[in-house]
Amino acid sequence: MTESSRSDGENAAESESGGTVDATDREMAAPDDGVATTDREVATDGGTASGIDARVSDLTAFLRDRPRLRTLSIAGPPYGILVFFFAIPLLAMLVVSFQADQIGGAWTLRNYTDFLTSETYLTVVWRTFLLSVQVTAIVAAVGYALAYSIVRFSRRTTLLLLLVILPFWTSYIIRMYAWINILQSDGVLDSILNLVGLPALSLLYTETAVLIGFTYVWLPLAVLPFYASLTNLDADLIEASKDLGAGPIRTFLSVTLPMTINGVITGVVLVFIPTFGSFITPRLLGGTNNVMIGMVIENQFKSAFNWPFGAAIGMVISVVVVALLVLATRLGGGLFGTGGETS
């Protein structure tokens, strides 16, 4: 009985020992099983990747035999964005501009005839055009000189470009109110002039204040394309021009400006268009004595609630601006040859 019990105990111990061994074996086998699982996952991922590659290859082969569908798949999304965000709103504005008094009114040409035959509105358009040309000329001259100095005479180009774009990190309205504090009567500018014994200027609500505000706002937009075009300019061409006896002005007009004309045109476009349609800067810095066409359009939409008339003015201004830009682009290319940039 005792032996049987001891035998049973030994058997139990052996059983336990065997169980331990089996458990140990299973534990030792577990890593192998984990590795096998990982291998299966890798194999599964590899199979998925292979499946994706196979589908991509099939799609590529499918499009290769259909060039029109391939072109549509590549160019379709960008054109879709242009149509959705630009063409459709412009078409909607065109439709509204032919309606009388309010959206959904009777069809009429009266909005266009009233605007094009009004001496008051045409005077505002002419004043806006002259002011936009002045702003564009000032910004182009100052911005080009600044970009040229950064590229040719400075090694800290990154820091200087950071300083140029730094104003964009501040709200447009805050910057305009800062200029109000500077230009108003007894403001910062007048206080500095009084300290040095000069008379106060009180520039706020004058055309000069509007020019200063626009120049400050749009200067970074012009400097960046100027800088990009000047960076690509081959300095050896300038040295070759000097070696051939050309002075600084002749070298600039014969080499530097023609080689960077695309950047100049881009900067001019980026300045002229927003200036022509702007209404915040002239309202805050120019007051009611310097009305621009953007302010007239804003008034039609927000105060007069005559959306069709405002849309008609907007369509006329859009056509005028596009025509001027096409003319400027062709004139720039004609004056400076091809206007190509070095690469």
Side-chain angles (χ1 to χ4, degrees), residues 11 53 67 108 160 167 255 280 320:
N11 291 335
D53 292 341
T108 180
L160 294 176
V255 179
I280 297 178
V320 171

Side-chain angles (χ1 to χ4, degrees), residues 29-50:
D32 296 338
D33 187 64
V35 172
T37 303
T38 305
D39 291 341
R40 285 196 297 273
E41 291 175 353
V42 172
T44 304
D45 294 342
T48 304
S50 300

Side-chain angles (χ1 to χ4, degrees), residues 230-284:
L230 286 167
T231 302
N232 293 326
L233 177 64
D234 190 354
D236 292 339
L237 296 176
I238 298 177
E239 297 300 327
S241 177
K242 293 179 179 178
D243 292 340
L244 293 174
I249 297 178
R250 186 177 179 82
T251 299
F252 175 77
L253 295 177
S254 302
V255 179
T256 306
L257 186 57
M259 289 296 175
T260 58
I261 190 61
N262 288 340
V264 174
I265 293 176
T266 302
V268 167
V269 169
L270 290 176
V271 173
F272 184 83
I273 291 179
T275 303
F276 203 90
S278 180
F279 60 91
I280 297 178
T281 300
R283 179 180 296 282
L284 294 178

Side-chain angles (χ1 to χ4, degrees), residues 130-257:
L130 292 180
L131 187 61
S132 300
V133 171
Q134 294 176 42
V135 171
T136 305
I138 295 173
V139 171
V142 176
Y144 197 93
L146 181 58
Y148 190 85
S149 300
I150 293 175
V151 174
R152 296 282 295 174
F153 306 119
S154 177
R155 295 180 181 179
R156 300 181 180 274
T157 56
T158 303
L159 176 62
L160 294 176
L161 284 178
L162 179 64
L163 293 177
V164 168
I165 65 175
L166 194 60
F168 278 120
W169 297 355
T170 307
S171 170
Y172 187 99
I173 299 298
I174 292 177
R175 283 180 281 162
M176 289 300 101
Y177 275 103
W179 276 109
I180 290 176
N181 289 325
I182 294 173
L183 301 176
Q184 67 183 352
S185 299
D186 299 329
V188 176
L189 180 61
D190 287 352
S191 299
I192 294 175
L193 293 175
N194 292 329
L195 286 176
V196 298
L198 296 176
L201 296 177
S202 301
L203 292 177
L204 188 62
Y205 303 136
T206 64
E207 186 173 320
T208 303
V210 179
L211 279 173
I212 294 174
F214 275 134
T215 302
Y216 168 75
V217 169
W218 305 133
L219 185 61
L221 285 181
V223 170
L224 295 180
F226 293 166
Y227 173 82
S229 61
L230 286 167
T231 302
N232 293 326
L233 177 64
D234 190 354
D236 292 339
L237 296 176
I238 298 177
E239 297 300 327
S241 177
K242 293 179 179 178
D243 292 340
L244 293 174
I249 297 178
R250 186 177 179 82
T251 299
F252 175 77
L253 295 177
S254 302
V255 179
T256 306
L257 186 57

Side-chain angles (χ1 to χ4, degrees), residues 16-132:
E16 289 178 0
S17 177
T20 304
V21 171
D22 292 342
T24 304
D25 292 341
R26 284 196 297 272
E27 290 176 357
M28 294 179 63
D32 296 338
D33 187 64
V35 172
T37 303
T38 305
D39 291 341
R40 285 196 297 273
E41 291 175 353
V42 172
T44 304
D45 294 342
T48 304
S50 300
I52 294 175
D53 292 341
R55 285 193 288 270
V56 171
S57 299
D58 294 341
L59 180 61
T60 304
F62 178 78
L63 293 176
R64 187 183 302 116
D65 299 333
R66 295 165 179 80
R68 292 184 178 179
L69 182 59
R70 182 180 58 187
T71 303
L72 180 62
S73 64
I74 296 174
Y79 279 105
I81 293 174
L82 288 175
V83 169
F84 184 78
F85 287 103
F86 295 96
I88 293 178
L90 193 64
L91 181 62
M93 191 171 71
L94 178 64
V95 172
V96 171
S97 67
F98 286 103
Q99 296 175 340
D101 299 329
Q102 59 184 351
I103 297 177
W107 297 100
T108 180
L109 291 174
R110 193 184 65 189
N111 296 321
Y112 288 95
T113 57
D114 288 348
F115 175 69
L116 295 175
T117 57
S118 172
E119 184 177 353
T120 302
Y121 290 129
L122 295 181
T123 301
V124 173
V125 172
W126 179 245
R127 182 193 303 130
T128 304
F129 172 75
L130 292 180
L131 187 61
S132 300

